[in-house]
Amino acid sequence: MLRPFLIAGLSGLVMSLSATASFAADVTLKLHQMLPPQATIPAKVLQPWADKIKADSNGRIEVELYPAMQLGGKPADLVDQVKDGVVDLTWTLFGYTPGRFPKSEAFELPFMVTTAEATSLAFQDYYEKHLKDELTDYHVLAVHTHGPGLIHTIASKPVAKLEDMQGLKLRGTSKVINQMLEAMGASAIGMPVTAVPESLSKSVIDGSVVPWEVTPAIKIAELAPNHTAFSGSTGLYTGTFFFAMNKDSYDAMPDDLKKVIDDNSGKELARLFGQAMDAGDIRGKEIADKAGNTTITLDETETARWKAAGEAVTKAWIAEMDGKGLDGTTLYNDALSMIEANAK
């Protein structure tokens, strides 16, 4: 009597094991990045992207997410971690490796950015035309920007005019943005965004430039309750990002799985990054307002003074690109025209 039950039990076990095996991933990809999982991009883009890759591949591709530098190293190391195959995927800021991707800096110049979505779409177009030769070591999935960057300062040092920047210790995002802050009178201090809360709490810096989107993750509303924005259709600056895959990891996949990655790459992915950043800006501003923070929006006359100060940075960048054998004027003009075209 036991034999039928034993056979049935073994058959069930075999079927269960077979089902488990059929859903096992053929490819497991490690995605490493610097922000906590609840921050805008990890929560609103990277996790949904990983879920869609799994769904579109019928479970054959599994993306493991490692936030907040869990696999070791510093944010500046991410570009080499993915290039060298330490990880399979990364999302990171171009500006964390100054001078390494010089043509990407065009989008960091003063008063270029409109919305994150429009500027991200423009930056993807710019990548297709100008950046591929700088990124041959990577399989690039998308590039993007954040929304208009603002100045956020401690309670005792609000910025209401250009003169208020004199001697202010401000954390900057990249080489170009630091140059912009210096041209406007501040003392620029380069550091990854993850170091901002501690640096503010220990008075290492008086403030930071970041978009509204990232302010909740780094406690800006609590630590730097003065916020300075600008009049007009463009913001003070933006940061540039790329989402990339190790080339060998991509090349090792069969063609049908490569297609899954390809179908979830490119301009529409850049759009998703931008849309998430724009939505994050709204949330970040709401949190600051609810906390009773002060937001100063400089009028058109005062904003024009800041733009005039920024022009020297743009001219110097164009000359620097020319000195590298690159056509700085063309790069700058193309960036402007692409932003304008995508803003319509």
Side-chain angles (χ1 to χ4, degrees):
M1 291 295 293
L2 291 175
R3 189 178 180 197
F5 291 104
L6 181 60
I7 292 172
L10 289 171
S11 298
L13 177 61
V14 169
M15 290 178 65
S16 176
L17 291 172
S18 298
T20 301
S22 67
F23 286 101
D26 295 342
V27 176
T28 300
L29 303 174
K30 294 181 179 179
L31 196 171
H32 196 207
Q33 54 87 22
M34 66 278 189
L35 291 182
Q38 69 272 20
T40 297
I41 293 302
K44 303 299 183 181
V45 182
L46 299 181
Q47 182 66 65
W49 182 86
D51 294 341
K52 191 168 187 298
I53 291 295
K54 184 173 183 177
D56 289 359
S57 67
N58 294 315
R60 293 175 60 203
I61 303 176
E62 183 79 32
V63 180
E64 296 178 348
L65 282 80
Y66 295 91
M69 303 304 298
Q70 285 182 351
L71 297 180
K74 298 171 292 188
D77 298 330
L78 288 168
V79 292
D80 286 321
Q81 287 183 358
V82 73
K83 179 176 74 72
D84 297 338
V86 176
V87 300
D88 302 293
L89 294 155
T90 197
W91 169 76
T92 191
L93 202 69
F94 280 103
Y96 284 164
T97 49
R100 187 158 172 176
F101 309 102
K103 288 189 288 185
S104 71
E105 296 167 356
F107 275 66
E108 298 176 344
L109 293 167
F111 294 99
M112 299 280 284
V113 60
T114 55
T115 65
E117 180 179 358
T119 311
S120 293
L121 292 172
F123 194 38
Q124 184 70 30
D125 289 341
Y126 184 88
Y127 160 76
E128 296 291 344
K129 184 173 182 179
H130 292 299
L131 292 184
K132 286 189 172 182
D133 63 334
E134 287 191 348
L135 293 163
T136 55
D137 290 332
Y138 309 89
H139 182 81
V140 175
L141 306 179
V143 298
H144 73 98
T145 73
H146 61 58
L150 297 87
I151 298 168
H152 310 269
T153 54
I154 58 177
S156 62
K157 296 189 177 182
V159 175
K161 57 185 182 300
L162 190 59
E163 288 77 11
D164 293 335
M165 291 284 279
Q166 292 299 317
L168 206 62
K169 296 181 293 183
L170 289 181
R171 171 263 176 185
T173 304
S174 70
K175 181 188 76 172
V176 170
I177 294 163
N178 288 347
Q179 290 170 344
M180 176 192 73
L181 295 176
E182 297 276 357
M184 293 171 175
S187 176
I189 300 173
M191 66 177 67
V193 71
T194 50
V196 168
E198 182 177 6
S199 296
L200 281 170
S201 65
K202 292 183 176 180
S203 300
V204 174
I205 54 176
D206 299 315
S208 180
V209 288
V210 289
W212 282 118
E213 169 272 322
V214 79
T215 57
I218 57 173
K219 302 180 180 180
I220 287 291
E222 174 186 342
L223 297 169
N226 291 306
H227 317 285
T228 302
F230 299 82
S231 296
S233 60
T234 56
L236 177 62
Y237 81 97
T238 190
T240 55
F241 301 78
F242 75 117
F243 184 32
M245 187 172 180
N246 174 265
K247 290 186 73 171
D248 290 340
S249 297
Y250 176 82
D251 291 341
M253 293 194 301
D255 288 345
D256 59 337
L257 294 188
K258 287 180 183 175
K259 186 176 186 302
V260 172
I261 298 293
D262 295 345
D263 289 348
N264 289 280
S265 302
K267 199 162 185 177
E268 287 309 304
L269 180 55
R271 184 191 301 277
L272 291 176
F273 277 111
Q275 290 174 340
M277 288 292 199
D278 284 333
D281 282 344
I282 294 171
R283 289 192 298 272
K285 176 67 162 59
E286 288 174 347
I287 289 170
D289 289 345
K290 187 175 181 180
N293 289 184
T294 299
T295 299
I296 302 166
T297 301
L298 304 182
D299 63 22
E300 291 183 3
T301 300
E302 183 62 26
T303 296
R305 298 180 65 215
W306 293 66
K307 288 183 177 180
E311 287 176 2
V313 178
T314 298
K315 291 177 180 177
W317 182 83
I318 290 172
E320 180 185 352
M321 293 304 103
D322 290 344
K324 293 178 182 291
L326 306 171
D327 187 340
T329 299
T330 295
L331 294 172
Y332 175 66
N333 287 338
D334 278 358
L336 282 177
S337 63
M338 290 171 180
I339 290 171
E340 182 179 356
N342 281 282
K344 293 178 180 179

